[in-house]
């Protein structure tokens, strides 16, 4: 019996010691890359001239709209994400798990800019309201609303690929 106990103790010591010596496996999640799903053009209301053109990802499902641009490290200047909601309502966004500073452009059911939030701060969980009922939201890199001098009533046109 003594031999069995000593062997058991040695086995357990070896088992637990070897477990501590093993390096923990690091699980790396792959970077989320941009997938072009459409194109969007912004027109100046006063002149009907093109202000900017973007390649866009389109968020339509609940999962896509809840996740948005979270966990992205970068986004090119000519890229954005268009959120398409099934209803016209007040919508609010926040920057939880969003690493990129963004301009959030709220667009009504007639595809006119209704309001926008410039330079939304990464990781900020404060709600950023549309202020008015809207159907779409375009997220772009921060600074583009100012760069293109966007105004309420400027319009957008988009197409899916």
């Amino acid at each position: 019996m003594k031999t069995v106990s000593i062997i058991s103790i040695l086995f357990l010591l070896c088992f637990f010691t070897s477990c501590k010596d093993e390096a923990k496996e690091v699980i790396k999640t792959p970077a989320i890359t941009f997938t072009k799903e459409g194109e969007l053009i912004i027109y100046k209301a006063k002149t009907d001239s093109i202000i900017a053109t973007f390649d866009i990802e389109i968020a339509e499902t609940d999962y896509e709209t809840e996740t948005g641009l979270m966990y992205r490290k970068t986004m090119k200047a000519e890229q954005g994400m268009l959120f398409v909601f099934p209803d016209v309502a007040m919508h609010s966004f926040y920057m939880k798990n969003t690493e990129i500073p963004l301009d959030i452009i709220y667009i009504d059911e007639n595809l006119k800019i209704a309001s926008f939030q410039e330079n939304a701060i990464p990781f900020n969980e404060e709600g950023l309201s549309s202020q008015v009922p809207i159907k779409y939201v375009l997220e772009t890199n921060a600074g583009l609303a100012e760069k293109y001098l966007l105004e309420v009533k400027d319009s957008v046109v988009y197409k899916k690929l």
Side-chain angles (χ1 to χ4, degrees), residues 4-149:
V4 173
S5 295
I6 293 173
I7 292 174
S8 296
I9 292 170
L10 287 173
F11 173 76
L12 289 172
L13 278 172
C14 287
F15 177 76
F16 287 116
T17 305
S18 66
C19 288
K20 289 181 182 177
D21 291 341
E22 288 182 26
K24 290 187 178 185
E25 183 179 346
V26 176
I27 300 173
K28 288 190 175 189
T29 54
I32 301 171
T33 57
F34 181 84
T35 303
K36 182 177 177 178
E37 298 174 322
E39 296 173 346
L40 182 138
I41 301 171
I42 302 176
Y43 291 90
K44 195 64 164 166
K46 294 175 185 170
T47 61
D48 201 32
S49 58
I50 293 175
I51 300 173
T53 302
F54 293 94
D55 292 335
I56 54 169
E57 285 187 83
I58 301 173
E60 296 176 291
T61 68
D62 287 342
Y63 176 77
E64 290 169 335
T65 56
E66 290 168 9
T67 307
L69 293 171
M70 289 180 176
Y71 312 108
R72 311 272 179 123
K73 302 280 185 206
T74 61
M75 184 169 61
K76 293 182 181 176
E78 69 279 357
Q79 296 175 336
M81 180 172 278
L82 180 69
F83 296 77
V84 181
F85 295 102
D87 59 344
V88 175
M90 298 280 285
H91 289 279
S92 186
F93 278 60
Y94 62 89
M95 298 290 288
K96 180 178 181 180
N97 299 319
T98 306
E99 300 180 39
I100 309 166
L102 298 174
D103 285 349
I104 303 170
I105 302 161
Y106 301 99
I107 303 165
D108 69 20
E109 71 274 16
N110 298 313
L111 296 170
K112 305 275 187 212
I113 295 176
S115 65
F116 46 90
Q117 173 68 48
E118 294 182 75
N119 299 303
I121 300 166
F123 303 107
N124 187 341
E125 294 186 35
E126 180 181 323
L128 304 169
S129 172
S130 61
Q131 308 293 321
V132 295
I134 50 106
K135 182 161 176 69
Y136 308 92
V137 171
L138 175 64
E139 290 184 339
T140 65
N141 284 303
L144 292 180
E146 183 178 352
K147 175 182 176 181
Y148 295 122
L149 303 174

